[in-house]
């Protein structure tokens, strides 16, 4: 049977056609931009230097608390005998303690530190110079871990440092202060090396060097460089510190064990030592029982069927080569199920963008020709096909058999299943070689049929940014994982080598080497994780695998050799007896030149010269968006390499040439060394080898607090307000009526009767909102609440419930179970006399006769002799079709059921004759059916299921045919009156909007805000994917949602800025302007608002989808027939920026709701709720002043001069200052010495006044221009708050005469400007915009206007009315006609470009696109690359630290490109045909003209 109206096919076709055209164009342009972007970004990344200031990753910052909570941080206070033995030896000589993992090496270092600190305190008491102890580690991870341990066990001041903290930019004064404050420093070896190199500290100022994991001291490791470059000289001078090294094995590679140990001793000037009595160590450290388990021979690597399909598609793509290699390995070692799961993760949703980016980046790295782009397109297409193959593949649960898993995995499964069969406190680590293996095993064993209920698995791999088919892991993630492991929330970790060395792993009693170790130290360290008594260490080896058994023999043999070497060492052995010659080891380094600064001892070596020079280049003065770097050119002549280093243009020395050397890498160092010597000689490097230039903080440092404009996440969304769910569960006792009626019912085009909504609880008053009829007319929906309630008697409820269920069944094909307890609301017809009497008694309001009639009649029957008038206006239901309904017009006496269907009737499947047209049977049932054919043919209008009455009707909908002729016998004549049915079809739109209003109000209640209903909904309405892009083409525009949040967001953003500025000024009286700006940015930045929005779950309330057919129905009663709500409708995608914008819109709504009264309390509370910070905790506007403490300078006695200033200003502004000294502060330039009058400069007041003035201007524009978009408002606000205008206003008011400064240049600039602006006003002849043509004023003039407004506000005890008064009296007059400032708004590059293209050149096919450039280091600040695309051609680009500034730069560049082009030249150059397209209607915006209709009733 047909189901007309269940899906609106014509609407879909029209909407799809319009949107597809736009979508295709955008897709092509986006692809071209991405191709161009990949090429440009790669070039930019290649050119970037390592001088960018690093920032500390949030994940690292947040770990300190977690690290401090680790139980293992507190070391036992009862050292064992072997620990005391080694401690005693370490007190007297340099020692490398070789002990198993878990044997307490760190305790020995703590004992040694305590001993050293005691000695240091004694020495300080004797007046000797301060010396510091250093605990050196190999990674950032260990900095935080070892710091947490030492901080818990030492009673002296200790601190930790690593490069990520930006300490490479600190000067000697900073380091001197830190060394003076801390007796112990935990840091990476590189940090100490830099400090030694710059002579921030010298070896004679260090009393102890502790090398953690000392086996790293070799080659060019910082451990080795510290010894070679600095320690050896200290040894010669007799001022060297003591050294203590710690390691589980002095060897970390397959080398001669004894020789490697001796070389380590030689380099570190230490003696290797271990416990003299190993039985003591064995008793203290539980050695695990070792077990070798064998698995059957693995099958040879092969391709699974899924791999074969993918290989045929994308097997030749380099980006997937590692994945295909691993698929081969995994097919043998893990099994086919794991291989297929690997492909699932490779092509999963999280990897799509990663794969696409890497494909383009790699391709464009070797293909620079435009014609090669087709190859890239083909590769991308094949990649998409591969995704589809993976998506279509069935991933079933794995079976514990060789069909899905390898013998190796099955052995592991059997072992773990036995161990964790029952609840247990066991802890297990399974070691693997590859991150992918760990990830797959963790996935596999988390499945019930593979693991057990008592096996709780986790993943522990190294911290790094994930590449293709990899996961991003942070140090914080590692710490959290280990915390859960320690607490038993996880009892089995699948780990890589990260768990062998580095992180503090809780004690385990089972270690499984799924993949065997490759070196002796891996074996020793992983074994050391099994510390519990009765623990077990399992070696998994393949049967008959000689290589595996050889590995076992090698590590055991090596450990034995190492142990015998340690045991054989005599106690009194000295370094002189070592046959490893230090001179031979250092012969290469001795061949390189070294420069030592005579005064400070700072040392420049070949190894350090590259870093010193890069540091210098990074400090050269430059634009905040520019990255400077040194370029090295290496040439080879006569078998020798020499290098020239070329420095940036603004460098005082442009180039330097190094000496010829035998290696390329040394040639670069030689050139850098020469350049550094030249810079030092010329005084451009100071005595610490630091640049004499001062690097300024990036102007866009706050971009780090911004959000990725394109990042979106999937969130839960409320489809229904809690109001309904909270009202069900019991039969109603009383009901409250809300009547919904049409303001202009004539537009409906037929009979009409209002409906009432009956609820258990009283509804809030709903605002009026428009609906759109098919005739093109509109009407407001007006709701009226009846004050008194209606008693819900059984008799009334039976009739009301029947009526409600009939509406759902006959109009919307939804059959619900009759259950009063489950119904959230009911419907009832309103008496025709309601509009006349407007009665307030619900008994008199309801049309009880209609209720009774509907209750008593299932339908109306036609009988022979029934008059033709019976059919007029009847509502007719097709019981065999879910969506076909009619409104009868009249009998057609000239037609019979077998007459042909008129050609203009709405199309149905069977059009043979009127009878067949009226029947909805399928063909076979139709052939068997028989009919009497005695009923008349009726002219009717087919009802169009246009449920979204909230949206304007389209031309296609309005013109859709609805007139038809039907034979009534197969149909059902409804007992519902036609007026009720007609109004009933409007009901879905009413309920959808009502639900949205209620959800919005529930959010306001959650935030403790009193907001008007219409503003509450507007604040959370996001009607497109890019709602915030006010003038760009809207993507996936949702029709009929009403006003979106953009204007409220504009208003709320301004109030948020003002509120936080007042709060910071109040709470932080001693902060300077810069500190205010930084703190305010932390409060109002999108990242902070996003965090609050996510924490408070605001995403659930945001309305991001227009009317949905399957959402407006009640959810509580049981649905017996009809389609239920799709669960996918309970999720929606929201961008991070959208969530932040909604927060600002809510603030705007809270402000606007009380605009008439001028009460700001509600908006203040909204700010407090949404910034969630102690820096703004006010509940009312008066709280600001209550917390303000007048500073001493403000209330001190005023001088005669200051009193005179107050009198003069009163004549200019009609306000008498109570505190003249505060007024003087508003005119005190930063150059004006505060000691002269003991008042601060105007900067703090200017910070405050700037936000107050912004609010006054925005408030004026918002209410004066209610239909202007935020872009227009912003552009025209720019004129009102611009320095140009405020400078002119300053002179107009005579404020400039009172400026106090101590700089002749400032006074000169002011005089010059005053002369020019007064002349401009004279020539302007009364024009209010005379100031636009004048040059810009000295910054001091607009500053004192803003500072004056700030002072006015503070002096009036935070009376905002004084700010408004100043605006009304002095500013508003200049902006009576805002149209004269349209050109001024165009001074914004992006706006000007938009107007040039659209208005001057007639082009609409242009876009500005932007993308974040991949950083070399995840810690580096992001950079955005933007491009202007005109008709698929990129004509200009711009790069900056934020999306906004990158777009501005790109716009500026594009304006230069287009300058001087005539429209004809432009069209010819760029192939622009936009004028013709507009004429042909091709530029119709998606959503305007797209229908939502199938068969239409044009009268409705």
């Amino acid at each position: 049977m047909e189901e007309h109206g269940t899906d609106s096919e014509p609407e879909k076709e029209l909407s799809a056609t319009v949107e597809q055209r736009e979508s295709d164009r955008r897709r092509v342009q986006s692809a071209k931009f991405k191709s161009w972007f990949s090429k440009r970004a790669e070039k930019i990344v290649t050119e970037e230097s390592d001088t960018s200031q690093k920032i500390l990753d949030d994940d690292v910052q947040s770990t300190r608390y977690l690290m401090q909570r680790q139980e293992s941080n507190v070391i036992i206070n009862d050292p064992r005998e072997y620990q005391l033995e080694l401690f005693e030896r370490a007190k007297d000589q340099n020692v490398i303690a070789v002990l198993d993992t878990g044997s307490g090496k760190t305790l020995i270092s703590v004992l040694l530190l305590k001993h050293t600190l005691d000695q240091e305190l004694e020495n300080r008491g004797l007046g000797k110079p301060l010396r510091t102890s250093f605990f050196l580690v190999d990674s950032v991870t260990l900095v935080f871990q070892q710091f947490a341990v030492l901080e818990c066990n030492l009673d002296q001041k200790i601190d930790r440092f690593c490069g990520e903290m930006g300490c490479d930019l600190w000067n000697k004064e900073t380091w001197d202060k830190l060394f003076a404050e801390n007796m112990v420093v935990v840091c990476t070896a590189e940090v100490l090396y830099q400090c030694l190199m710059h002579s921030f500290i010298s070896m004679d100022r260090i009393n102890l060097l502790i090398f953690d994991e000392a086996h790293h001291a070799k080659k060019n490791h910082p451990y080795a460089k510290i010894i070679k470059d600095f320690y050896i000289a200290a040894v010669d001078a007799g001022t060297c510190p003591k050294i203590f090294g710690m390691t589980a094995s002095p060897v970390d590679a397959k080398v001669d064990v004894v020789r490697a140990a001796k070389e380590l001793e030689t380099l570190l000037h230490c003696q290797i030592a271990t416990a003299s009595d190993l039985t003591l160590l064995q008793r203290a450290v539980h050695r695990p029982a070792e077990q070798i388990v064998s698995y059957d021979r693995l099958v040879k690597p092969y391709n699974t069927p899924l791999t074969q399909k993918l290989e045929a598609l994308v097997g030749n793509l380099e980006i997937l080569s590692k994945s295909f290699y691993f698929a081969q390995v995994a097919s043998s070692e893990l099994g086919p199920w794991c291989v297929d799961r690997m492909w699932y993760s490779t092509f999963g949703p999280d990897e799509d963008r990663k794969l696409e980016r890497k494909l383009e980046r790699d391709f464009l790295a070797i293909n620079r020709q435009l014609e090669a782009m087709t190859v890239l397109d083909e590769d991308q297409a094949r990649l998409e096909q591969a995704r589809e193959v993976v998506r279509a593949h069935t991933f079933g649960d794995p079976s514990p058999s060789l069909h899905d898993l390898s013998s190796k995995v099955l052995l592991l499964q059997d072992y773990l299943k036995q161990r964790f069969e029952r609840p247990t406190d066991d802890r297990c680590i399974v070691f693997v070689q590859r991150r992918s293996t760990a990830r797959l095993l963790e996935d596999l064993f988390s499945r019930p049929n593979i693991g057990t209920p008592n096996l709780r698995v986790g993943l522990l791999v190294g911290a790094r940014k994930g590449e293709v088919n990899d996961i991003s892991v942070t140090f914080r993630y590692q710490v959290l994982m280990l915390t859960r492991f320690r607490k038993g929330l996880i009892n089995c970790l699948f780990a890589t080598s990260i768990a062998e060395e580095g992180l503090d792993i809780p004690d385990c009693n089972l270690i499984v080497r799924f993949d065997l170790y490759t070196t002796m130290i891996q074996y020793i360290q992983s074994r050391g994780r099994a510390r519990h008594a009765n623990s077990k260490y399992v070696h998994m080896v393949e049967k008959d695998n000689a290589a595996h058994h050889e590995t076992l023999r090698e590590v055991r043999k090596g450990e034995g050799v190492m142990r015998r070497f340690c045991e054989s060492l005599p106690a009194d052995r000295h370094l002189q007896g070592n046959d490893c010659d230090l001179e031979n080891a250092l012969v290469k380094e001795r061949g390189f030149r070294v420069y030592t600064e005579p005064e400070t001892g700072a040392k420049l070596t070949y190894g350090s010269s590259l870093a010193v020079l890069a540091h210098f280049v990074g400090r050269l003065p430059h634009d905040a968006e520019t990255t400077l770097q040194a370029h090295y050119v290496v040439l080879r002549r006569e078998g020798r390499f020499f290098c020239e280093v070329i420095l940036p243009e603004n460098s005082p020395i442009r180039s330097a040439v190094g000496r010829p050397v035998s290696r390329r890498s040394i040639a670069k160092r030689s050139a850098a060394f020469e350049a550094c010597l030249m810079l030092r000689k010329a005084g451009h490097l100071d005595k610490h080898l630091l640049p004499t230039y001062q690097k300024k903080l990036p102007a866009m440092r706050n971009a780090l607090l911004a959000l990725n404009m394109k990042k979106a996440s999937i969130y839960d969304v409320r489809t229904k307000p809690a109001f309904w769910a909270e009202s069900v569960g019991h039969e109603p006792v009383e009901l409250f009526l809300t009547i919904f009626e049409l303001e202009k019912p004539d537009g409906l085009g037929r009979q009409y009767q209002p409906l009432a909504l009956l609820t258990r609880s009283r509804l809030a008053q709903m605002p009026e909102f428009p609906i759109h009829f098919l005739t093109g007319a509109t009407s407001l929906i007006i709701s009226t609440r009846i004050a008194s309630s209606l008693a819900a008697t059984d008799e009334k409820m039976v009739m009301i419930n029947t009526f409600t269920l009939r509406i759902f069944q006959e109009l919307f094909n939804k059959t619900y179970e009759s259950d009063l307890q489950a119904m959230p609301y009911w419907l009832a017809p309103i008496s025709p006399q309601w509009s006349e009497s407007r009665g307030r008694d619900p008994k008199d309001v309801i049309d009880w006769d209609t209720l009774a009639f509907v209750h008593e009649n299932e339908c109306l029957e036609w009988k022979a002799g029934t008059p033709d008038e019976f059919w007029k206006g009847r509502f007719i239901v097709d019981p065999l079709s879910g969506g076909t309904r009619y409104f009868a017009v009249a009998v057609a006496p000239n037609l019979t059921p077998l007459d042909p269907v008129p050609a203009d009737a709405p199309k149905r499947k069977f059009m043979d004759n009127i009878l067949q047209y009226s029947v909805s049977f399928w063909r076979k049932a139709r052939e068997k059916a028989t009919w009497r054919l005695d009923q008349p043919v009726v002219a009717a209008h087919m009802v169009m299921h246009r449920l979204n009455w909230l949206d304007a009707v389209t031309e296609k909908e309005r013109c859709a045919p609805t007139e038809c002729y039907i034979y009534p016998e197969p149909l059902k004549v409804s007992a519902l009156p036609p007026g009720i049915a007609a109004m009933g079809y409007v009901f879905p739109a009413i309920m959808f909007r009502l639900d949205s209003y209620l959800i919005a109000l529930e959010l306001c209640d959650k935030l403790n805000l009193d907001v008007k209903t219409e503003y509450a909904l507007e604040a959370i309405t996001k009607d497109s994917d890019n709602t915030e892009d006010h003038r760009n083409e809207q993507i996936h525009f949702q029709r009929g949602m009403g006003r979106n949040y953009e204007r409220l967001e504009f208003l709320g953003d301004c109030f948020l800025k003002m509120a936080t500025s007042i709060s910071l000024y109040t709470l932080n009286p001693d902060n300077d302007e810069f500190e205010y700006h930084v703190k305010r940015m932390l409060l109002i930045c999108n990242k902070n608002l996003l965090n609050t929005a996510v924490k408070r779950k605001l995403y659930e309330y945001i309305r991001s989808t227009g009317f949905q057919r399957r959402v407006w129905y009640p959810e509580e009663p049981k649905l017996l027939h009809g389609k239920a709500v799709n669960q996918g409708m309970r999720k929606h995608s929201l961008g991070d920026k959208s969530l932040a914008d909604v927060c600002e819109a809510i603030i705007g709504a809270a402000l606007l709701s009380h605009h008439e009264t001028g009460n700001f309390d509600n908006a203040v509370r909204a700010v407090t709720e949404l910034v969630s910070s102690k820096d703004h905790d006010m509940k009312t506007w008066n709280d600001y002043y209550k917390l303000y403490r007048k500073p001493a300078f403000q209330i001190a006695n005023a001088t005669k001069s200051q009193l005179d200033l107050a009198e003069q200003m009163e004549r200019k502004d009609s306000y008498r200052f109570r505190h003249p000294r505060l007024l003087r502060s508003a005119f005190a330039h930063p150059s004006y010495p505060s000691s002269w009058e003991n008042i601060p400069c105007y900067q703090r007041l200017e910070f405050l006044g700037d936000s107050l003035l912004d609010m006054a201007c925005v408030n004026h524009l918002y209410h004066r221009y209610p239909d202007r978009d935020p872009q227009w408002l912003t552009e025209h606000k720019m004129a009102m708050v611009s320095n140009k205008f405020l400078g002119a206003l300053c002179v107009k008011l005579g404020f400039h005469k009172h400026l106090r400064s101590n700089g002749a240049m400032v006074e000169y600039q002011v005089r010059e400007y005053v002369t020019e602006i007064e002349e401009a006003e004279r020539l302007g002849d009364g024009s209010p915009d005379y100031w636009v043509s004048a040059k810009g004023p000295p910054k001091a003039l607009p500053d004192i206007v803003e500072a004056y407004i700030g002072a006015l506000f503070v002096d009036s005890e935070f009376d905002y009315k004084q700010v408004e008064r100043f605006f009304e009296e002095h500013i508003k007059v200049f902006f009576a006609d805002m149209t004269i400032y349209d050109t001024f708004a165009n001074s914004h590059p992006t706006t000007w470009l938009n107007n040039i293209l659209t208005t001057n050149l007639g082009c609409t096919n242009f876009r500005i696109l932007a993308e974040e450039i991949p950083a070399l280091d995840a810690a580096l600040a992001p950079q955005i690359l933007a491009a202007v695309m005109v008709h698929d051609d990129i004509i200009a680009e711009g790069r900056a630290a934020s999306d906004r500034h990158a777009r501005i730069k790109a716009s500026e560049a594009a304006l230069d490109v287009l300058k001087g082009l005539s429209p004809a030249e432009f069209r010819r150059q760029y192939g622009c045909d936009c004028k013709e397209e507009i004429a042909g209607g091709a530029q119709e915006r998606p959503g305007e003209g797209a229908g939502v209709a199938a068969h239409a009733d044009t009268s409705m």
Side-chain angles (χ1 to χ4, degrees), residues 74 240 278 288 482 499 506 600 652 775 779 794 798 825 833 911 1040 1164 1169 1198 1226 1232 1459 1471:
V74 180
C240 56
L278 292 180
L482 292 176
T600 64
T775 57
S779 172
D794 292 344
V798 168
Y825 58 81
Q833 288 73 39
M911 303 284 288
V1164 172
E1169 293 284 347
Y1232 188 65
K1459 188 176 182 180

Side-chain angles (χ1 to χ4, degrees), residues 1172-1224:
S1172 187
S1173 170
K1174 62 181 177 57
D1175 284 329
H1176 192 288
D1177 197 27
M1178 292 76 180
K1179 302 297 189 296
T1180 68
W1181 179 263
N1182 290 334
D1183 288 345
Y1184 291 125
Y1185 188 70
K1186 288 178 183 177
L1187 293 171
Y1188 179 62
R1189 298 293 177 263
K1190 295 176 183 176
F1193 88 87
Q1194 179 178 333
I1195 58 179
N1197 292 331
T1199 64
K1200 293 293 185 183
S1201 173
Q1202 293 161 357
L1203 291 169
D1204 178 67
L1205 173 64
E1207 291 176 0
Q1208 290 191 57
M1209 293 306 298
E1210 185 178 7
R1211 290 193 290 271
K1212 296 176 180 179
D1213 184 38
S1214 69
Y1215 177 81
R1216 178 71 178 182
F1217 267 80
R1218 307 167 194 173
H1219 302 99
R1221 291 175 60 82
L1222 178 67
L1223 177 61
R1224 173 74 86 199

Side-chain angles (χ1 to χ4, degrees), residues 314-335:
V314 291
N316 64 335
L317 294 185
E318 181 61 28
I319 61 167
L320 294 172
S321 59
K322 291 182 180 179
S323 296
F324 279 107
Y325 171 76
F326 179 74
Q328 284 272 314
V329 174
S331 66
S332 174
E333 295 194 354
L334 303 178

Side-chain angles (χ1 to χ4, degrees), residues 1120-1173:
L1120 302 177
H1121 175 75
K1123 294 183 179 179
V1125 176
N1126 187 327
Q1127 293 303 312
M1129 297 177 179
R1130 303 185 194 278
K1131 301 281 185 181
H1132 62 166
S1133 174
L1134 293 175
D1136 290 352
K1137 178 69 165 55
S1138 297
L1139 285 167
D1141 287 348
V1142 166
C1143 290
E1144 293 175 333
I1146 292 170
I1147 295 170
L1151 175 66
L1152 192 59
S1153 295
H1154 300 270
H1155 172 67
E1156 293 80 4
T1157 63
N1159 190 315
F1160 287 170
D1161 291 350
N1162 205 43
V1164 172
R1165 176 178 286 277
V1167 172
T1168 297
E1169 293 284 347
L1170 293 169
V1171 300
S1172 187
S1173 170

Side-chain angles (χ1 to χ4, degrees), residues 458-528:
L459 180 67
L460 186 62
V461 295
R464 75 181 188 197
K465 209 169 185 179
E467 298 178 352
V468 173
N469 194 25
D470 196 3
I471 54 175
S472 297
V473 173
T474 64
F475 176 47
R476 174 178 169 77
Y477 168 87
Q478 294 174 337
V479 174
L480 288 173
M481 188 61 63
L482 292 176
T483 300
R484 296 186 184 111
F485 190 56
R486 179 173 286 107
K487 292 180 177 180
L489 301 176
I490 291 171
N491 56 18
C492 180
L493 283 175
F494 292 94
T496 55
S497 59
I498 184 67
E500 296 169 354
E501 170 188 318
L503 291 177
D504 180 25
I505 310 291
D507 294 351
C508 303
N509 50 6
L510 177 61
I511 299 294
V512 179
R513 288 296 321 200
F514 182 81
D515 291 328
L516 285 181
Y517 28 75
T518 57
T519 64
M520 181 181 72
I521 197 167
Q522 282 187 333
Y523 165 58
I524 294 173
Q525 289 181 325
S526 62
R527 186 185 63 192

Side-chain angles (χ1 to χ4, degrees), residues 1353-1385:
F1353 179 74
V1354 174
D1355 190 77
S1356 64
E1357 300 182 349
F1358 291 23
D1359 182 4
Y1360 182 73
K1361 288 185 173 60
Q1362 288 298 332
V1363 178
E1364 291 182 317
R1365 177 197 59 76
F1366 183 89
F1367 175 84
E1368 293 286 332
E1369 292 180 5
H1370 303 299
I1371 297 178
K1372 185 177 177 180
V1373 63
F1374 287 88
F1375 300 98
D1377 180 8
M1378 290 303 297
T1379 59
I1380 63 177
Y1381 297 106
D1382 288 347
T1383 304
F1384 184 90

Side-chain angles (χ1 to χ4, degrees), residues 557-628:
K557 178 183 175 182
E559 183 184 21
V561 171
M562 189 71 248
R563 181 169 287 108
R564 287 190 294 275
F565 170 77
C566 294
E567 291 172 350
S568 64
L569 296 175
D572 59 348
R573 182 171 64 97
H574 299 290
L575 284 175
Q576 288 85 344
N578 197 323
D579 58 2
C580 288
D581 189 356
L582 186 61
E583 289 297 320
N584 291 333
L586 300 180
V587 66
K588 293 181 180 178
E589 281 76 4
R590 291 272 167 92
F592 302 147
R593 289 174 298 155
V594 174
Y595 169 78
T596 302
E597 178 64 31
E599 182 180 347
T600 64
K603 182 181 289 188
L604 180 71
T605 67
Y606 268 33
S608 63
S609 58
L610 291 172
V612 171
L613 187 59
H615 196 189
F616 169 80
V617 171
R619 287 292 187 96
L620 289 172
H622 63 279
D623 182 87
E625 314 303 338
T626 304
T627 300
L628 298 181

Side-chain angles (χ1 to χ4, degrees), residues 67-79:
M67 297 298 295
Q68 288 174 331
R69 296 179 64 195
Q70 301 296 318
E71 296 172 5
S72 59
N73 290 346
V74 180
I75 301 177
I76 57 174
N77 296 317
D78 184 18

